[in-house]
Amino acid sequence: MKPAIETKDATRDAAVPRHVAVIMDGNRRWAKARLLPRLIGHQRGSDAVRRVVEAAADFGIEYLTLYAFSSENWKRPEDEIGDLMGLMRLYLRRDLNELHANGVRLRVIGDRGRLAGDIIDLIDEAESRTRDNRRMTVVLAISYGGQGEIVQAARALAAEVAAGRLRPEEIDESLFASRLETAGMPDPDLVIRTSGEKRLSNFLLWQAAYAEFVFVDTLWPDFGRDELELALREFRSRDRRFGARKD
Ligand code: IPE
Ligand code: IPE
Ligand code: MG
């Protein structure tokens, strides 16, 4: 029998993924089903973030990447974008102390240039304050798109080639990965998407090359410790081969 999922105080279970990435989807449908305003769905979604961060740390996950706002989400109505940005401000202000006290390091990936100045300041402050925390890293993907990230990396490498500092033959997978925003982080072992949708929606396109996928019908505001544990169990039952022959 496989051992149970270990908690923070026990020896780390090798079957616990090092890096879990979550596409937190279904906030609006959650609100709609209850005839509540959309904002309430997003607020409940940010409550779910709190629960899942805590549970992930307890389960011994090292990296938790949360897709909070995609580069395509800028196409949403202005008032909804305003609500989502307001919730991000709140999260970065109010929850930072608790994250810091719990040994969480916060990192943000995505196109910061499109964010409001005060949010950029909050992100900078949160990242520098929590830089040395080691219990778990929470990566927030805000204004993030995998294709845009790959284009940025290609552009950076092209500039180095044009400047004569790099030869095209020197570009390989690991050099390319080092120019992505996730440089230095392990690739996600497990990608979870809530709300029944089965697509990546431009999330971690490069990094998810060998991730396991778990799609659940639960809407994000209803997702919590138990649902995360179920997804981890499902992950444990998978046979990862990475292209190698398995006898
Ligand atoms: C996820 O929930 C939150 C964001 C994408 C910002 P949605 O707002 O996409 O809710 P649904 O999927 O439309 O129900
Ligand atoms: C993906 O959800 C982005 C986030 C969860 C932040 P969307 O709701 O924006 O994706 P689509 O439009 O259903 O593909
Ligand atoms: Mg959605």
Side-chain angles (χ1 to χ4, degrees):
M1 211 180 87
K2 287 180 177 173
I5 289 168
E6 302 284 352
T7 63
K8 60 184 170 188
D9 300 313
T11 315
R12 196 173 182 285
D13 184 347
V16 172
R18 277 189 82 189
H19 183 175
V20 176
V22 187
I23 304 173
M24 311 183 288
D25 199 14
N27 293 352
R28 293 184 299 191
R29 275 166 285 167
W30 185 94
K32 198 172 176 194
R34 286 161 183 78
L35 306 174
L36 290 167
R38 203 170 49 200
L39 173 61
I40 309 283
H42 290 313
Q43 282 171 343
R44 294 303 184 85
S46 84
D47 295 341
V49 169
R50 243 164 263 135
R51 290 197 297 272
V52 169
V53 167
E54 209 182 294
D58 288 345
F59 290 142
I61 290 162
E62 286 176 55
Y63 290 84
L64 177 69
T65 298
L66 301 170
Y67 204 7
F69 192 90
S70 74
S71 46
E72 288 70 34
N73 288 149
W74 291 111
K75 294 182 217 156
R76 293 203 179 185
E78 223 171 288
D79 65 324
E80 186 182 3
I81 294 175
D83 286 347
L84 289 164
M85 292 300 151
L87 283 169
M88 276 178 238
R89 281 187 185 91
L90 200 64
Y91 187 80
L92 290 166
R93 281 208 194 98
R94 196 184 56 190
D95 295 302
L96 188 68
N97 289 331
E98 203 185 322
L99 291 174
H100 188 46
N102 286 327
V104 173
R105 173 171 61 163
L106 197 79
R107 277 181 62 174
V108 175
I109 56 171
D111 182 2
R112 273 179 216 202
R114 295 183 78 176
L115 299 172
D118 70 307
I119 297 188
I120 300 175
D121 291 345
L122 284 169
I123 291 172
D124 287 342
E125 197 191 311
E127 286 186 330
S128 65
R129 227 179 116 194
T130 63
R131 181 174 295 147
D132 297 325
N133 292 343
R134 285 291 171 268
R135 184 164 172 233
M136 179 172 70
T137 300
V138 170
V139 183
L140 293 179
I142 303 177
S143 187
Y144 173 87
Q147 290 183 338
E149 181 193 30
I150 290 168
V151 167
Q152 275 299 119
R155 213 179 268 157
L157 290 168
E160 289 177 54
V161 170
R165 291 196 303 269
L166 183 70
R167 283 177 294 117
E169 325 64 273
E170 290 177 284
I171 302 174
D172 60 8
E173 287 90 332
S174 88
L175 188 69
F176 199 93
S178 75
R179 299 302 192 275
L180 295 171
E181 292 197 77
T182 50
M185 288 170 41
D187 284 341
D189 303 291
L190 169 64
V191 175
I192 301 170
R193 183 167 188 152
T194 60
S195 88
E197 308 295 353
K198 295 177 182 67
R199 53 177 172 265
L200 269 177
S201 301
N202 207 9
F203 189 45
L204 300 179
L205 298 181
W206 171 282
Q207 299 84 343
Y210 265 101
E212 295 294 328
F213 289 88
V214 170
F215 297 106
V216 298
D217 288 335
T218 312
L219 301 174
W220 177 249
D222 290 327
F223 198 90
R225 179 178 293 262
D226 293 349
E227 289 72 22
L228 178 62
E229 185 163 7
L230 276 177
L232 295 179
R233 279 182 200 282
E234 168 66 28
F235 172 81
R236 232 159 20 112
S237 74
R238 302 280 176 90
D239 182 17
R240 300 185 83 190
R241 290 190 287 276
F242 299 97
R245 189 173 65 86
K246 194 94 194 296
D247 294 318

